């Protein structure tokens, strides 16, 4: 997943399943000691972009992400617009 993003591909993580089956836990985890897929992937990307590897010296990175939910056939953006507009690393 992370390597594909670094190679320039768009990536989507799609969690689908019955209510209570663990989708949210898998995606976000329960705390810092037990992170889910999203916190781990974002941490790896940020570490790579900010100097965690030799490629950070040769390339300029620009990351964009979306957190969307489809619930009862309605699309919900899970990132508030004001948070997304001011996010800088």
């Amino acid at each position: 997943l992370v390597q594909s993003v670094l190679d320039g591909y768009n990536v989507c993580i799609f969690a689908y399943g019955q209510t209570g089956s663990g989708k949210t836990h898998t995606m976000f985890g329960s705390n810092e000691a037990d992170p889910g897929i999203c916190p781990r992937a974002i941490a790896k990307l940020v570490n790579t972009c900010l100097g965690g590897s030799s490629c950070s010296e040769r390339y300029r990175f620009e990351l964009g992400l979306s957190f969307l939910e489809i619930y009862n056939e309605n699309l919900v953006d899970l990132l508030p617009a004001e948070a997304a507009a001011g996010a800088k690393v």
Side-chain angles (χ1 to χ4, degrees):
L1 172 86
V2 173
Q3 187 60 51
S4 294
V5 170
L6 295 172
D7 289 342
Y9 293 98
N10 292 326
V11 173
C12 173
I13 303 172
F14 188 82
Y16 177 82
Q18 183 175 348
T19 299
S21 62
K23 299 176 298 292
T24 301
H25 178 74
T26 299
M27 299 304 284
F28 297 106
S30 56
N31 55 40
E32 288 185 28
D34 183 25
I37 292 170
C38 292
R40 284 193 254 171
I42 291 171
K44 176 70 173 169
L45 286 170
V46 169
N47 287 338
T48 300
C49 295
L50 294 179
S53 71
S54 62
C55 66
S56 64
E57 299 169 4
R58 296 179 297 194
Y59 299 102
R60 179 181 168 271
F61 292 93
E62 183 174 323
L63 302 174
L65 60 97
S66 301
F67 283 100
L68 303 173
E69 173 183 63
I70 301 172
Y71 183 74
N72 287 336
E73 299 183 15
N74 293 313
L75 184 65
V76 179
D77 186 356
L78 299 177
L79 290 177
E82 55 276 354
K88 300 275 187 209
V89 176

